[in-house]
């Protein structure tokens, strides 16, 4: 029986390093190619040697699909394609294709220039890697080869984030990447049609969370920022350059405007303006409201938010700073954090998920003494707040997506094992489908049961649908045909056509039965009695009395002849072909019981 | 398969395709050339136009002089301009299931169809098509509605009266069908029925047909359409271009293997080379401005104007035009310029790459930033303060009958320093100018039509090899004014089938197969038999389910167990309920082996006789006779059912079932 195999190389019972291998109907597809923010050694990239020990990746993979531009989904791509070696197609949406190389370059700079690592991918490798990228539109059916096709759906996680359907014949898999089921201030909600995949591979970051309304969280966020600024404190919001940052900027911008606040808001790194520019050019990927009004007022042109300079961090007085990266694991956000951590008036707001091993994760889990590089201990006195603004679906959202797509199986990735366990139970209970949660390197096999498409001759189909006076067109009909199989082509034709095509003659099998009945009358009178008898019983059949005295029931012929020896006995010859076997057999047994006493 | 042709205009098509069980309208073009018969609508009271003499019949009757005015020997209707709609009587348009739009020029009749015919279906179009189409409609409605006209002429439409009028009014077709412009609420209602689609998106219609838009290379979001079932493929090619301008290149490969290719929207100016025209446009513009004159460019608010601005962007500095103001006046000018920058995914590769940087794909962003290009919603308001001459003005409508262009024609027409440059190919420039005659201003005709020319068409057809080509009749003969140019027509084998307005074509295609799915459990139960090397067959008896035009074969249900009750049954209860089908048989029965088999099964008195065509096998005791011939077997016996069934099964062992 055909099967679909799934092996996570990353993101199996974990968040980070998303990389999932899928084998479907002989095709191998790699979903995402991410890095792990919690590691700085070999573990930061997926172990591609799993795919093949010797031999080129290109020969083993039919294509690679990148769901969105976050580094935990695309960070290993240049390493994979240029250093390990892969020349096949890489698919992603246009905004992802535009933004991904910038984040990769940023990542490379931090790793190589700041941390001084060698043996890392180079700028040129990023460029060469991007040359292998094929950009896809939403809902476009991309034919990877003759059998394999992929299709992108809107995921609403960040600009350009997409879910992908991978389809071969009747079998299909949907991979969600990261997604968000509720529209936010700049993006729309994820959407998929009822595509009934054999398997849905979904993220499960917030598997156990059901978040309160977005409005409450926003109010809470603004209140905290406002209070801190009012008492003269500084607010640090570690973010990734693209994504949540824009949503929170829109939020603060409108709040500052409304409240007429004066405290400065800064956005760190040179990426800001560039990032906002991407949002302006790819405005068709944002939500309905922004798209509708962009001609009058472009939401990504901010009045109150200015570029940050490193020196500003030491300025006295209140301020709000958005700094990258979002998990406080390196770069400017970490630098500012170290400067401000000692003052209890200040506040750091973590607006998203932090993976294990990052400073962000440590302070969120309550650690207040951090060991920094060079054995230095940093005491955290500033307030630490966590607000879930990351655009992942919560438990409710995940269930909603499953309801939308109606998969036959579900597989969880991109989440923590304990939380997955809980969600898995819930899914199995509610939808009665199998749910899997393989660890990294563990293979899940799903049996599929694809139906077989064949060509049916229109003549046969029309004949079958026309047969019989069926008042109810929806009622299923029994049909009979011959399936011809030749070089992988399957054709269902009428038996007559099959014989003709094969140059064979039909062999006619005919039966003639002699039925003896007692009837002293003349032969033609016997015939008439038989006719009336049958006519009375076989109401749905065409029963005819022919001029020569014989009777037909459909194509069955009945003749009454005299018995050679006994005048009181007549012999009925009932003759039918094999195709009328049932009726013929029935008639003989019926006639054998004799004729009813005739009424004059 | 049938094609109903509702429009006679080859570049503004409107056809309806009946294919399998679906009714699909292909494009919804609005023929606006009818407006050329009307007087222009001036924004500002024009003494010249209001003083035009009424038209008087030869016999001196003046009853039409309120409706018809004469200008330099031409007669115009003095009324709100009207448009020539597609046929609405040829078939019941409420039965149309879907409308496929190929580009924003071909959807201008949409409100007439969706709002007045009982249409309840869905319209499919790409996002740029819808957004820019909306802008074109908005501009049209706006420019007509802001010049309210007190009178509406209808007397001239009377058949008896029309007969007396001079050409071209006399020959105008279907004037009774001409309609006034729709309103904004109607536009919004029509556009709300559109569903957005992307290139190469497969859209299922009722499970019977799949439609797919493909890039056609002509305009932002412009598409050709594939309409196919599993076995038949119709390509609808409308407004395509192979030139590299701003849109994504045309997808030709996907048009291959079409059974029928419907070809519309070819270039209207087959003799003009667009590149050459752009050059002429620039040099005429520069010359006029240098001489202190103004340049007027009547244009649509989207499309070629983007390319012209891009050319000028590269040209103005070298031509010393840096200080000449460029004005773009249209109620939708700003929207059009903004929208052009956000459709990166629909643009050609070069422009896409720019967006990745990220930079705006069109350089007019820079022209606006540096104040070289200014845009205004109309001549009123800010424009009158900023207006400096000499200058270049881009404004609509290209018919010169309404929109801000009317004002500039009146303003600049009297001076020979000024130039009007026609770039849009939809209207004859001489007809467009007629109500402004006599005119001192220079007129330059540089039509830029990037759509396919006949050389490109013949190359395309060779490449994609459709079985049949269908096209408007205009394409099957040389243009009427150049009857010797036999190169200016479609040349293909078999010859293209042509259509004209209000005609119904039966397309030559016969379907022979349909797709059906065999459920896995049924497939498992099939027993294939190799009948010839490489060819296997299996007989299939199954239940056919048809739902949403999809056919599925399932295992027949197991016969229900006879009820255990011992009630006496009536004879008729036993009547076989439906004719259960038996397979056909094939093969022949070797007599020796058959006899052996009979003997093995306990028939000891078998006797064989030869006949002319075969053998007769006799079972003497049972008084049974079996005639064996090459292609038939006949069992003649007494009414001994167990015996008959036994013999039947023995015979069947030798035969193949179909």
């Amino acid at each position: 029986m055909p099967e679909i195999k799934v092996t996570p190389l990353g993101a199996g019972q974990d968040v980070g390093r998303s990389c999932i291998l899928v084998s479907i109907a002989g095709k191998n597809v790699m979903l995402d190619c991410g890095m792990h923010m919690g590691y700085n050694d070999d573990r930061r990239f997926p172990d591609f040697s799993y795919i093949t020990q010797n031999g080129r990746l290109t020969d083993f993979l039919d294509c690679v699909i990148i769901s969105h531009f976050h580094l935990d989904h695309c960070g290993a791509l240049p390493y994979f394609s240029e250093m390990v070696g892969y020349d096949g197609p890489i698919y992603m949406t246009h905004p992802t294709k535009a933004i991904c190389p910038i984040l990769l370059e940023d990542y490379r700079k931090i790793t190589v220039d700041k941390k001084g690592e060698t043996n890392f991918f180079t700028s040129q490798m990023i460029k060469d890697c991007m040359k292998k990228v094929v950009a896809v539109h939403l809902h476009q059916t991309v034919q990877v080869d003759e059998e394999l096709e992929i299709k992108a759906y809107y995921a609403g996680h960040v600009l350009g984030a997409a879910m992908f359907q991978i389809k071969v014949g009747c079998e299909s898999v949907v991979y969600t990447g990261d997604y968000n089921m509720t529209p936010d201030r700049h993006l729309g909600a994820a959407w998929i049609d009822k595509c009934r995949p054999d398997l849905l591979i979904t993220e499960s970051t917030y598997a156990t969370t059901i978040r309160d309304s977005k409005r409450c969280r926003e109010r809470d966020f603004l209140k905290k920022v406002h209070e801190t600024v009012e008492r003269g404190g500084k607010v640090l919001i570690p973010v990734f350059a693209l994504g949540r940052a824009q949503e929170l900027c829109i939020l603060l911008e409108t709040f500052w405007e409304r409240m007429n606040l004066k405290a400065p808001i800064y956005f760190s790194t040179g990426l800001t303006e560039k990032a906002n520019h991407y949002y302006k050019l790819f405005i068709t990927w944002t939500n309905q409201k922004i798209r509708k009004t962009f001609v009058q007022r472009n939401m990504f042109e901010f009045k109150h938010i200015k570029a940050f300079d490193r020196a500003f961090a030491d300025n006295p007085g209140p301020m709000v700073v958005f700094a990258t990266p979002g998990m406080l694991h390196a770069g400017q956000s970490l630098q500012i954090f170290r400067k401000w951590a000692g003052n209890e008036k200040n506040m750091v707001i973590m607006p998203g998920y932090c993976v294990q091993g990052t400073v962000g994760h440590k302070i969120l889990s309550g650690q207040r003494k951090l060991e920094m590089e060079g054995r230095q201990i940093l005491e955290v006195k500033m307030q630490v707040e966590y607000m879930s603004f990351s655009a992942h679906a919560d438990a409710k959202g995940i269930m909603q997506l499953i309801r939308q797509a109606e998969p036959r199986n579900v597989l969880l990735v991109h989440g923590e094992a304990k939380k997955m366990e809980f969600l898995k139970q819930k899914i199995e209970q509610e939808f009665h489908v199998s749910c899997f949660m393989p660890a990294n390197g563990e293979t899940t096999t799903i049996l599929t049961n694809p139906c077989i498409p064949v060509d049916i001759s229109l003549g046969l189909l029309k004949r079958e649908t026309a047969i019989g006076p069926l008042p109810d067109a929806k009622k299923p009909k029994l049909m009979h045909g011959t399936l011809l199989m030749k070089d992988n082509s399957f054709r269902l034709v009428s038996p007559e056509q099959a014989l003709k095509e094969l140059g064979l003659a039909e062999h006619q099998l005919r039966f003639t039965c002699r039925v003896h009945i007692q009837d002293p009358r003349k032969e033609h009178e016997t015939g008439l009695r038989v006719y009336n008898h049958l006519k009375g019983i076989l109401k749905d059949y065409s029963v005819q009395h022919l001029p020569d005295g014989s009777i037909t029931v459909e194509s069955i012929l009945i003749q009454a002849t005299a018995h050679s020896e006994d005048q009181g006995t007549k012999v009925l010859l009932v003759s039918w072909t094999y195709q009328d076997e049932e009726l013929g057999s029935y008639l003989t047994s019926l006639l054998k019981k004799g004729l009813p006493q005739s009424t004059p | 398969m049938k094609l109903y042709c509702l429009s006679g205009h080859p570049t503004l098509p409107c056809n309806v395709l009946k294919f399998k069980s679906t009714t699909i309208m292909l494009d919804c073009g609005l023929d606006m050339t009818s407006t050329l018969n009307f007087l222009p609508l001036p924004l500002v009271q024009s003494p010249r136009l209001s003083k035009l003499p009424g038209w008087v019949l030869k016999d001196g009757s003046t009853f039409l002089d309120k409706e018809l005015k004469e200008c330099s020997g031409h007669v115009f209707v003095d009324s709100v301009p009207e448009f020539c709609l597609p046929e609405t009587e040829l078939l019941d348009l409420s039965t149309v299931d879907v409308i496929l739009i190929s580009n924003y020029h071909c959807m201008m009749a949409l409100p007439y169809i969706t709002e007045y015919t009982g249409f309840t279906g869905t319209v499919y179009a790409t996002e740029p098509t819808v957004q820019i189409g909306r802008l074109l409609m908005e501009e049209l409605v706006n420019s007509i509605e802001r010049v309210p006209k007190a009178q509406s002429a209808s007397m001239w439409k009377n058949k008896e009266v029309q007969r007396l009028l001079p050409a071209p009014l006399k020959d105008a077709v279907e004037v009774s069908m001409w309609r006034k412009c729709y309103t904004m609420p109607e536009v919004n209602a029509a556009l709300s029925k559109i569903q957005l689609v992307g290139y190469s998106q497969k859209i299922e219609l009722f499970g019977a047909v799949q439609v797919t838009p493909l890039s056609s290379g002509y305009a932002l979001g412009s598409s050709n359409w594939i309409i196919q079932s599993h076995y038949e493929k119709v390509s609808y090619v409308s407004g395509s271009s192979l030139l590299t301008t701003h849109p994504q290149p045309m997808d030709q490969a996907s048009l291959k293997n079409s059974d029928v290719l419907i070809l519309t929207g070819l270039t209207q100016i087959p003799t003009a080379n667009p590149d050459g025209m752009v050059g002429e446009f620039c040099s005429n513009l520069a010359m006029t401005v240098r001489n202190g004159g103004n340049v007027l460019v009547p244009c649509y608010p989207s499309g070629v104007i983007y390319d012209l601005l891009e050319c000028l962007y590269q040209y103005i500095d070298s031509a010393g035009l840096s200080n000449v103001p460029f004005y773009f006046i249209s109620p939708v000018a700003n929207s059009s310029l903004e929208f052009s920058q956000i459709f990166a995914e629909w643009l050609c590769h070069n422009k896409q790459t720019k967006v990745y940087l990220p930079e705006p794909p069109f350089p007019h962003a820079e022209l606006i930033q540096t104040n070289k290009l200014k845009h205004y919603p109309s001549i009123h308001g800010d424009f009158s303060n900023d207006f400096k001459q000499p200058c270049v003005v881009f404004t609509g409508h290209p018919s010169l009958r309404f929109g801000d262009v009317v004002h500039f024609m009146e303003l600049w027409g009297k001076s020979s320093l000024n130039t009007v440059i026609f770039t849009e190919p939809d209207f004859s420039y001489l007809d467009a100018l007629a109500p402004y005659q006599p005119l001192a201003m220079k007129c330059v005709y540089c039509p830029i039509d990037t759509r396919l020319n006949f050389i490109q068409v013949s190359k395309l057809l060779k490449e994609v090899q459709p079985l049949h080509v269908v096209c408007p009749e205009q394409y099957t003969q040389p243009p009427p004014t150049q009857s010797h140019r036999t190169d200016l027509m479609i040349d293909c084998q078999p010859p293209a089938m042509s259509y004209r307005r209000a005609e119904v074509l039966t397309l030559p295609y016969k379907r022979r197969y349909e797709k059906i799915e065999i459920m896995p459990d049924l497939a498992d139960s099939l027993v294939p038999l190799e009948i010839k090397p490489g060819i296997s067959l299996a007989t299939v008896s199954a239940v056919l389910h048809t739902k949403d035009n999809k056919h599925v074969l399932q295992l027949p249900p197991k016969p229900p167990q006879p009820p255990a009750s011992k009630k006496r049954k009536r004879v008729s209860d036993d009547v076989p309920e439906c004719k259960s089908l038996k397979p056909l048989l094939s093969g022949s029965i070797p007599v020796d082996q058959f006899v052996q088999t009979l003997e093995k099964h306990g028939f000891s008195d078998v006797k064989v006789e030869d006949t002319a065509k075969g053998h007769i096998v006799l079972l003497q005791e049972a008084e049974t006779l079996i005639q064996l011939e090459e292609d038939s077997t006949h069992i003649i016996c007494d009414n001994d059912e167990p015996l008959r069934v036994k013999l039947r099964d023995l015979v069947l062992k030798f035969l193949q079932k179909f």
Side-chain angles (χ1 to χ4, degrees), chain B residues 568-586:
Chain B
R568 208 174 143 253
K569 285 191 285 182
R570 286 173 49 204
V571 221
S572 56
D573 288 346
D574 286 336
V575 177
E577 213 176 82
C578 70
K579 286 172 268 181
S580 74
L581 289 144
K582 289 280 182 222
L584 292 186
L585 303 172
S586 180

Side-chain angles (χ1 to χ4, degrees), chain B residues 132-148:
Chain B
I132 297 173
R134 177 195 295 276
L135 298 183
L136 293 185
M137 290 180 177
E138 238 179 87
E139 190 194 57
L140 185 68
V141 172
N142 185 293
S143 43
I144 287 177
E145 281 185 353
R146 71 183 159 149
V147 191

